[in-house]
Amino acid sequence: ERLQQFQAAGAKWVHIVDLSAAFDDDTAPNAPVLRQLASAAHQHGLALELGGGLRTSERVAAAYDWLSKHELVDPTKTTAIGYCFGGWVCLELARSGKLVAGVVGFHCSLDASNPEDAKNIKGRVLVLNGADDPYVSTESVAAFMKEMQGAGVKYEYVAYEEAVHSF
């Protein structure tokens, strides 16, 4: 029913996030439902894109390593964009030295697992947070800026006035 509504509204693509799955794993708990959705999307002439599941720094690093070896990927031009926890994971990936071109985090935590790892960042960093986000303290913003400046990272931190988490 929801897919019909998307189609009627003119949608060509449907993106579904399943935080319980990754790497197209048939053992994921929602795999049967996702297969049904994929079939229904196809019947309605909609392209389906699945995402989600990479909920730890280790899994994101493994996915990055796998993707960067693909023949169509230029690892010197890779970037990562994440929201909330995903933004923090992207920052951690940059701190690991894996990202070359840059990283963007939206309403994300700034706290580094190890602030010294900022020296490993090879690309640019952009963070877009709400100035009134209760999950990001002024202390963590100051520590983040000190971390980036101390490592010589090209970064920009934007705090949107009167915006809270998940703006």
Side-chain angles (χ1 to χ4, degrees):
E1 179 181 327
R2 184 70 66 202
L3 291 172
Q4 289 173 333
Q5 291 172 341
F6 286 134
Q7 181 189 32
K12 304 285 185 227
W13 284 85
V14 175
H15 178 80
I16 296 175
V17 176
D18 177 14
L19 294 179
S20 299
F23 300 115
D24 197 25
D25 186 352
D26 282 338
T27 64
N30 296 325
V33 172
L34 294 173
R35 280 192 287 277
Q36 288 175 350
L37 286 171
S39 176
H42 180 72
Q43 290 173 359
H44 291 289
L46 296 169
L48 181 68
E49 180 182 48
L50 297 175
L54 300 175
R55 299 185 295 168
T56 67
S57 297
E58 295 78 17
R59 289 187 88 169
V60 170
Y64 174 83
D65 289 342
W66 175 82
L67 184 63
S68 67
K69 293 174 187 164
H70 192 280
E71 65 185 39
L72 298 177
V73 175
D74 178 350
T76 67
K77 296 180 181 177
T78 58
T79 59
I81 299 172
Y83 299 82
C84 194
F85 176 75
W88 175 80
V89 170
C90 289
L91 287 173
E92 287 293 288
L93 190 63
R95 288 173 175 127
S96 77
K98 290 188 184 290
L99 294 177
V100 176
V103 61
V104 180
F106 294 86
H107 55 85
C108 61
S109 173
L110 305 170
D111 302 327
S113 295
N114 180 4
E116 295 298 314
D117 287 345
K119 69 181 181 308
N120 299 324
I121 296 175
K122 297 180 175 110
R124 295 177 178 217
V125 173
L126 172 61
V127 175
L128 307 163
N129 278 355
D132 296 332
D133 188 336
Y135 302 109
V136 180
S137 69
T138 55
E139 294 82 12
S140 68
V141 172
F144 173 76
M145 291 181 172
K146 181 179 178 183
E147 172 195 1
M148 295 294 113
Q149 291 166 0
V153 175
K154 292 180 182 177
Y155 81 99
E156 184 174 356
Y157 182 85
V158 178
Y160 292 102
E161 294 297 322
E162 300 181 18
V164 295
H165 192 71
S166 300
F167 52 89

